[in-house]
Amino acid sequence: MKHPLLLLFCLSMPVALLFGQPASNPALARSRVEFELKLPELRKKDSAHRIPRVSNSFYDRIDFLDSRSGPVIGPAFKGLLQNMEAELVLKQPVASKLSAILDGLIDSAAGNGNLLFQLRRFYYVEEFSTKFCYLQATIYSGMPGQYRPLLTLDTVMLIRVGGPVVDYMNYMVRPLVCNFIRSVLTLRPVDSTTYDLYAVGKMDSIERSRLPVFRDSAWVDGLYLSYPSFSRQLPDRQCMVAMNKNGGIRNIKVLDASGKPVEQRSRDMYAVVYQGQAYIATEYGFYPVTRTDNALLFTGDVRVPASEGDLNSGQMALGLVGRFMASKGTRTTYTMALDALNGEFLHLRLIPPPPTN
C-alpha cells in the first residue's frame, strides 16, 4: 500500500440496520467459527481460474465500514463430528483483510485513489434447514465527507445441509468479494451526489426514502406484475378482488379484451393492493404486508429450491430483478422482508410446520 489504512471505525458512531443478522443470544454462549476474507486459495490445477490483477487501477487504498447490527453471520457447528454449536463470524480486523485483497489485485501502476467498502448485509438465519445467505455491500470512491457510490453487490447464496458452512464460504464468498472489488478498480463514480460517513451508514434508509412503497403512508389499489411497479406504486392493472370469510384473498380477476372477468394466478403477479392493504403474491397465495421500522414484512409460503443447481440457473443470482423460484422444491413458510433494491424476499425466520399426531 502506498498510504496507511484509514480506520473508519474510530471516526463514526455505531450503525444499526434492520437486516444485518440476528443478534447473538448471550444465554447460548456459543463458541465462534471464523471466516476470513482473502484472495481465494487455488490448487495448482485451478490456477487458470485465479483472479487476475488490474492494470492502471484508479485506487490503491481501501477502508471498511461495517453497517450490520452485529458480528454474527449465522449459526454453525464445529468439531470433528460437526456437532458443537457455534456462531460464524468474520475474522478481524476486516479492514486489513480487504487491504491485502486489494494489494493482490493491483499493480505498480495503480493510482492513489481511495475506496470505502461498506458491508451492509451478510447473514443467514436457518440452523438445520436450507440456508439462504444474503450478502450486500456497496463500494464508494473518495475520502471522508465526500464519498460517491461506485457499485453495489446484492446477492443471495443457497447453502445446502451438510458439511462445514465455512468451507462453503471459502469456496463461494471469497471469489465473489474479490471479483466485486476488482470490478470497481477502473470505475469512476457516475452519481454526483456525495455522502459523509454518517450518511453512508444510513444508506439503507436513504434508499428506502426514495421509494413510494416504503415512503408513502398509503398504498395505491391495483395489481402489480413486478417489484419495480410496486416500488413506484404504479399499478399495472386494475382488478376485482374477492375475499373469503377469513379475511384473506379468495381470487383476483381482471377484464380481458372483450370485457369478460378472467381470474389471475397468484404466481403471475408480484403484489396486489386492495382497500389500501398490500398483499405479496407467491405461487401459494396472497399474504398481507405490514410496516415495521420502515421495513415491509410478510409471513407466507415460498418454494425452497430442490438443489443448488436450480438456484444458480439464473433464478436467483447476482443482479436479479424479480423473485421467481425453481419449479422443483419444498413448500416452506418464512417471515420475510422485501429487499428495497430488487424486491427479493429476505428470509428472516423459518416457521416450522405444525406438529402432526
Side-chain angles (χ1 to χ4, degrees):
M1 302 292 289
K2 296 181 180 179
H3 301 281
L5 178 68
L6 178 63
L7 298 179
L8 293 176
F9 291 119
C10 298
L11 303 178
S12 63
M13 59 187 299
V15 178
L17 297 183
L18 177 64
F19 303 123
Q21 65 280 322
S24 192
N25 187 347
L28 296 178
R30 289 181 174 181
S31 59
R32 292 188 167 183
V33 175
E34 292 184 324
F35 163 63
E36 183 178 4
L37 283 175
K38 58 188 297 187
L39 286 168
E41 296 173 348
L42 300 177
R43 297 167 296 180
K44 288 185 177 180
K45 66 177 183 178
D46 297 325
S47 59
H49 301 288
R50 188 175 303 278
I51 299 174
R53 290 179 180 266
V54 174
S55 297
N56 299 308
S57 166
F58 295 141
Y59 311 97
D60 72 339
R61 292 165 293 169
I62 188 166
D63 303 321
F64 177 65
L65 178 63
D66 195 340
S67 295
R68 300 174 299 158
S69 62
V72 178
I73 299 170
F77 294 88
K78 61 188 299 186
L80 292 177
L81 300 179
Q82 290 290 298
N83 60 351
M84 298 172 57
E85 291 186 346
E87 293 174 329
L88 183 66
V89 298
L90 278 175
K91 187 172 184 178
Q92 300 295 325
V94 178
S96 64
K97 309 300 180 186
L98 293 176
S99 294
I101 291 174
L102 181 60
D103 283 343
L105 294 175
I106 61 177
D107 60 17
S108 58
N112 61 356
N114 191 78
L115 296 172
L116 171 63
F117 186 106
Q118 179 192 22
L119 185 59
R120 301 171 59 179
R121 182 187 302 142
F122 189 17
Y123 79 97
Y124 59 85
V125 297
E126 297 86 351
E127 187 163 356
F128 299 106
S129 61
T130 299
K131 299 175 176 64
F132 291 87
C133 183
Y134 298 95
L135 175 61
Q136 185 186 76
T138 299
I139 295 181
Y140 306 78
S141 72
M143 301 296 289
Q146 50 184 11
Y147 294 111
R148 298 168 65 184
L150 287 173
L151 195 64
T152 293
L153 168 69
D154 190 14
T155 191
V156 57
M157 296 160 284
L158 184 67
I159 304 175
R160 303 301 298 181
V161 176
V165 67
V166 72
D167 290 349
Y168 178 91
M169 295 292 178
N170 291 337
Y171 178 73
M172 291 295 294
V173 178
R174 283 178 179 175
L176 188 63
V177 170
C178 292
N179 278 308
F180 177 49
I181 295 174
R182 186 180 186 277
S183 67
V184 305
L185 296 181
T186 56
L187 293 183
R188 296 290 194 189
V190 176
D191 189 346
S192 60
T193 307
T194 60
Y195 303 90
D196 59 20
L197 196 59
Y198 179 80
V200 168
K202 297 293 184 181
M203 190 55 64
D204 190 66
S205 295
I206 292 172
E207 290 173 345
R208 291 168 188 271
S209 69
R210 296 168 177 165
L211 299 173
V213 71
F214 287 92
R215 181 192 65 214
D216 296 350
S217 59
W219 289 310
V220 179
D221 281 10
L223 186 152
Y224 298 85
L225 298 178
S226 67
Y227 175 69
S229 61
F230 184 58
S231 67
R232 295 192 297 266
Q233 284 295 278
L234 298 174
D236 295 287
R237 300 284 300 274
Q238 292 304 311
C239 60
M240 296 165 285
V241 179
M243 307 294 289
N244 57 40
K245 61 182 180 180
N246 296 321
I249 294 179
R250 184 171 74 245
N251 62 57
I252 294 177
K253 295 181 179 181
V254 300
L255 298 179
D256 64 13
S258 63
K260 178 182 177 182
V262 177
E263 186 171 345
Q264 302 295 293
R265 298 182 302 178
S266 60
R267 67 183 302 170
D268 294 333
M269 63 188 79
Y270 184 87
V272 64
V273 177
Y274 176 63
Q275 295 184 347
Q277 172 63 55
Y279 299 83
I280 291 297
T282 77
E283 62 182 295
Y284 300 111
F286 303 91
Y287 304 97
V289 178
T290 59
R291 297 180 190 266
T292 304
D293 295 330
N294 198 31
L296 301 182
L297 310 179
F298 73 98
T299 297
D301 294 348
V302 291
R303 188 181 296 273
V304 174
S307 69
E308 190 167 349
D310 290 337
L311 191 71
N312 293 335
S313 63
Q315 292 137 352
M316 275 183 111
L318 177 63
L320 175 72
V321 176
R323 83 285 185 262
F324 178 71
M325 297 296 290
S327 59
K328 297 179 180 179
T330 304
R331 180 174 179 171
T332 311
T333 306
Y334 287 91
T335 295
M336 290 167 279
L338 301 188
D339 187 331
L341 291 183
N342 58 25
E344 269 295 349
F345 299 162
L346 303 175
H347 298 63
L348 301 181
R349 185 165 66 94
L350 174 68
I351 309 298
T356 57
N357 295 328

